[in-house]
Amino acid sequence: MSIERLLENFDGLLDSPQNVEELKKLILELAVRGKLVPQDPHDEPASELLKRIQAEKQKLIAEKKLPKSNPLPPITDEEMPYELPKGWELVRLGQIIHISSGNALPSHKMNEGNIPVYGGNGITGYHNSTNVNEETVVIGRVGFYCGSIHLTPNQAWVTDNAFITMFSKSNIYKDFLVWLLKGTDLRQDDSGTAQPVISGRKLYPIVVCLPPLAEQKRIVAKVDELMKQCEALKQDLEQQEQKRLVLNKATLAKIEETSTPEEFHKRWNFLFQQFDALYTVPENVKALKQMILQMAVQGKLVPQDPNDEPASELLQRIHAEKQKLIAEKKIKKTDPLPPITEAEMPYELPKNWCWTQLNEAGIINPRNDVDDELETSFVPMTLIQAEYGLKINSEKRSWKEIKAGFTHFAENDVTLAKITPCFQNGKSAVMRNLFNGVGAGTTELHVFRPISGLVLSDYVLIYLKSPKFINEGIPKMTGTAGQKRIPKDYFAGNAFPLPPLAEQKRIVAKVDQLLALCDELASRLAQSRIQNETLMRSVLHQVFNGKEGEPCLI
């Protein structure tokens, strides 16, 4: 069956490059199960191949061209994944291949000569010498590319990030071995480490199915044909996706150009109506959510009410309350930061808004003074979320355990992760549901404490997660690579757009509403993707599900 006929059975399920990748995996899975091409009773059975492979291996050991290896355990009934086609043989990888490490090669030597250098993920450079002199199957042995498979040309250098694979070329067709290894999970890692590694000890016991040599060649021809057609389909879908991304970007740009909340909602409604045409994967909704956060702090989400108390008067009340707290010695007096200049005002604010700084709108990096035995909350960086709206969890600790050497905060304080990459990822949060209303956490935080509820914590959080605040902060980070931090002056002294208190409440409510809708749409996309992939797998297995000895792609 051609891929065109096969696609007729999917009724549009192959609607993304990811689904095509799933199809390719299933093709490989079925290839190594004997479901792609018919078995020929005249083929020499794989059991005969295995005898010759073992004889060849013993000869190489006797000639000391191959080290003697420990015997592998017999294959148990539990290890038989499915009923084998006639003429096939169930084997352990160690019976048909032998691996040896490549040779180390410094990176500065990978830019000389014209012989390709193969590492864990294919060609990584070029060298003037070779350590293999024929086509060789290379297996990535460590790290992210552990288990990746590549076929070298006649001459290549293989580094110690990969294994050189030896096998009986007269009894195993090299191209079939490539597909067999690609269709097998080689990452049998039981170390529990973050850096997966494969070795002969882990690789050799893996059970695979060996077909007759003639069938190996028929399988390769069919897999090659199907993979070529899958790639063509994938490229077509990628082009469609790219066009969709361009249209989506243009739509978002149009929305960002709006000057009033009314215009915003008109264009938002258009986007919502065209959602299915603009979005196919949940990951793409992230840009939409970022746009909403930015529009929020520019006053474009909700209409202004001329009856609201102006933000300038709200700011005066904040200053008065702050002076009162200083006089009562509840907070310390701090030096003012340089005021916002007109050049630092990035956009025009709506009427009744005003530019200020977090340093003026509340308290920066406050300290708690509570009883040592009080049960309080401890919040490490891992519990601070990058996405707006997610709840913060905490660990219960006595105050004496965490009061020294950690950042202090209290209920409704707003925290910002200041270190790379947490800042770039948008890690910030409103601290809520703290034990006894106080807590401490990672030292890599800046903290803003609102005064008397005159600035809403959730509005400040929207500002801290807005793309403009993050993107303009990145170049201002100081420190060495991997340890860069946002200075306190940027956190406390950057231009902060302050709306009237009543409008802050409307903005937070609207952001919550729109982001919840985005989450619902993203969830719908994710569920649709899962359903499509599940249905695709089901349909494919039905298409391929022939009787014994009767493959379904013919």
Side-chain angles (χ1 to χ4, degrees):
M1 180 186 290
S2 69
I3 198 71
E4 289 78 11
R5 272 192 66 197
L6 180 61
L7 292 179
E8 290 174 7
N9 291 277
F10 284 99
D11 296 326
L13 293 179
L14 288 173
D15 58 356
S16 71
Q18 293 83 0
N19 280 354
V20 177
E21 285 301 313
E22 181 71 10
L23 173 59
K24 289 164 70 176
K25 291 176 186 176
L26 291 172
I27 289 171
L28 277 186
E29 176 187 327
L30 294 163
V32 298
R33 289 181 54 179
K35 291 287 187 178
L36 279 189
V37 298
Q39 280 75 54
D40 186 337
H42 299 102
D43 287 344
E44 179 187 44
S47 57
E48 296 299 317
L49 297 183
L50 194 57
K51 290 176 185 177
R52 292 201 296 272
I53 290 170
Q54 295 305 315
E56 190 176 311
K57 184 176 182 180
Q58 292 305 316
K59 182 174 180 290
L60 291 172
I61 291 172
E63 294 171 352
K64 298 185 177 180
K65 295 179 180 178
L66 201 65
K68 189 174 182 179
S69 56
N70 295 326
L72 293 165
I75 297 172
T76 65
D77 290 341
E78 290 75 19
E79 291 178 290
M80 296 188 67
Y82 39 79
E83 187 176 354
L84 289 181
K86 288 181 180 178
W88 287 48
E89 195 75 15
L90 206 62
V91 299
R92 295 194 188 277
L93 273 179
Q95 294 176 260
I96 61 173
I97 68 170
H98 174 78
I99 57 173
S100 58
S101 179
N103 302 107
L105 189 67
S107 58
H108 69 272
K109 289 186 173 291
M110 294 188 194
N111 56 2
E112 52 189 49
N114 55 9
I115 294 174
V117 175
Y118 279 77
N121 192 40
I123 297 176
T124 58
Y126 291 86
H127 190 44
N128 56 18
S129 184
T130 178
N131 59 359
V132 297
N133 290 291
E134 58 184 344
E135 284 186 318
T136 301
V137 179
V138 171
I139 303 174
R141 60 174 292 271
V142 63
F144 182 79
Y145 299 113
C146 171
S148 62
I149 308 300
H150 301 276
L151 183 65
T152 75
N154 286 329
Q155 286 193 324
W157 183 281
V158 179
T159 74
D160 55 356
N161 284 329
F163 285 121
I164 298 168
T165 307
M166 292 178 60
F167 60 97
S168 174
K169 295 176 177 60
S170 57
N171 295 290
I172 301 177
Y173 186 38
K174 70 177 186 308
D175 295 314
F176 173 77
L177 180 61
V178 169
W179 288 127
L180 175 65
L181 294 175
K182 283 188 174 184
T184 303
D185 180 12
L186 303 180
R187 294 174 64 146
Q188 309 289 316
D189 186 48
D190 56 4
S191 63
T193 63
Q195 183 86 324
V197 177
I198 62 173
S199 62
R201 181 179 64 83
K202 297 174 182 177
L203 199 67
Y204 290 156
I206 296 174
V207 176
V208 295
C209 304
L210 183 66
L213 184 60
E215 189 168 347
Q216 292 177 32
K217 294 180 180 179
R218 295 196 298 273
I219 289 171
V220 167
K222 178 56 70 175
V223 171
D224 286 348
E225 172 197 344
L226 293 177
M227 291 299 177
K228 183 178 179 180
Q229 294 176 18
C230 282
E231 277 302 311
L233 174 61
K234 182 182 175 183
Q235 288 181 15
D236 183 53
L237 290 170
E238 285 175 342
Q239 289 175 1
Q240 293 179 34
E241 200 166 86
Q242 186 58 39
K243 290 178 182 177
R244 189 179 290 110
L245 288 173
V246 170
L247 179 59
N248 179 37
K249 189 174 181 181
T251 303
L252 292 182
K254 274 287 185 185
I255 294 176
E256 289 172 351
E257 291 171 1
T258 60
S259 57
T260 66
E262 292 76 18
E263 191 177 359
F264 169 84
H265 283 285
K266 180 179 177 181
R267 292 181 178 177
W268 165 266
N269 288 334
F270 170 79
L271 182 147
F272 183 74
Q273 291 166 1
Q274 303 298 320
F275 185 84
D276 289 339
L278 294 172
Y279 295 92
T280 57
V281 291
E283 293 81 2
N284 292 344
V285 181
K286 181 180 178 181
L288 177 59
K289 296 172 81 171
Q290 289 178 326
M291 181 268 293
I292 291 169
L293 296 173
Q294 190 59 51
M295 295 292 97
V297 295
Q298 292 183 215
K300 296 180 180 181
L301 280 195
V302 298
Q304 282 73 52
D305 185 339
N307 298 311
D308 288 343
E309 176 192 37
S312 57
E313 294 181 15
L314 175 64
L315 195 57
Q316 289 177 11
R317 287 205 286 141
I318 293 171
H319 288 169
E321 186 65 26
K322 203 171 184 181
Q323 292 304 313
K324 181 170 176 276
L325 293 172
I326 292 171
E328 294 171 351
K329 298 187 177 179
K330 292 181 179 179
I331 63 172
K332 292 182 179 180
K333 185 176 181 179
T334 56
D335 294 331
L337 294 172
I340 301 298
T341 65
E342 191 169 340
E344 293 173 310
M345 300 175 184
Y347 44 82
E348 186 177 350
L349 292 178
K351 289 180 180 179
N352 285 345
W353 287 44
C354 71
W355 287 108
T356 184
Q357 302 161 309
L358 289 183
N359 190 56
E360 295 296 316
I363 305 165
I364 304 299
N365 298 336
R367 302 291 292 177
N368 297 330
D369 184 14
V370 296
D371 185 83
D372 279 358
E373 302 305 320
L374 192 70
E375 287 187 333
T376 57
S377 288
F378 180 72
V379 182
M381 185 68 79
T382 52
L383 295 182
I384 298 175
Q385 305 297 325
E387 191 167 345
Y388 178 86
L390 297 181
K391 293 181 179 178
I392 294 296
N393 296 317
S394 64
E395 304 166 3
K396 187 181 289 186
R397 303 273 184 90
S398 67
W399 183 244
K400 65 183 177 184
E401 291 181 74
I402 59 175
K403 70 176 183 178
F406 293 104
T407 303
H408 290 196
F409 41 75
E411 192 77 8
N412 286 323
D413 284 358
V414 189
T415 58
L416 172 77
K418 61 185 177 183
I419 192 168
T420 187
C422 300
F423 173 77
Q424 292 96 319
N425 293 339
K427 279 203 166 199
S428 49
V430 177
M431 293 300 173
R432 289 204 172 99
N433 301 315
L434 302 178
F435 297 112
N436 289 305
V438 292
T442 168
T443 58
E444 301 295 351
L445 294 176
H446 290 308
V447 180
F448 170 83
R449 179 170 295 174
I451 296 175
S452 300
L454 298 176
V455 177
L456 294 187
S457 299
D458 289 306
Y459 175 75
V460 175
L461 184 65
I462 292 169
Y463 162 73
L464 295 180
K465 288 188 182 292
S466 64
K468 194 170 188 65
F469 175 80
I470 294 174
N471 293 337
E472 292 184 356
I474 292 172
K476 294 179 169 61
M477 299 182 82
T478 59
T480 57
Q483 292 291 310
K484 288 193 172 185
R485 293 174 174 84
I486 277 292
K488 176 185 172 183
D489 284 357
Y490 180 74
F491 169 71
N494 191 56
F496 173 60
L498 182 66
L501 182 58
E503 189 168 346
Q504 292 178 44
K505 295 176 182 178
R506 296 195 298 273
I507 289 170
V508 169
K510 179 58 75 172
V511 167
D512 288 345
Q513 176 195 358
L514 294 181
L515 293 190
L517 179 59
C518 287
D519 288 337
E520 181 183 330
L521 295 172
S523 177
R524 189 178 79 189
L525 288 174
Q527 189 61 34
S528 175
R529 176 194 283 182
I530 292 170
Q531 289 173 347
N532 275 9
E533 290 177 356
T534 302
L535 186 56
M536 185 186 73
R537 178 176 282 270
S538 173
V539 170
L540 187 58
H541 277 284
Q542 290 176 32
V543 173
F544 281 47
N545 187 24
K547 297 178 182 178
E548 184 179 351
E550 293 183 4
C552 301
L553 280 184
I554 58 171

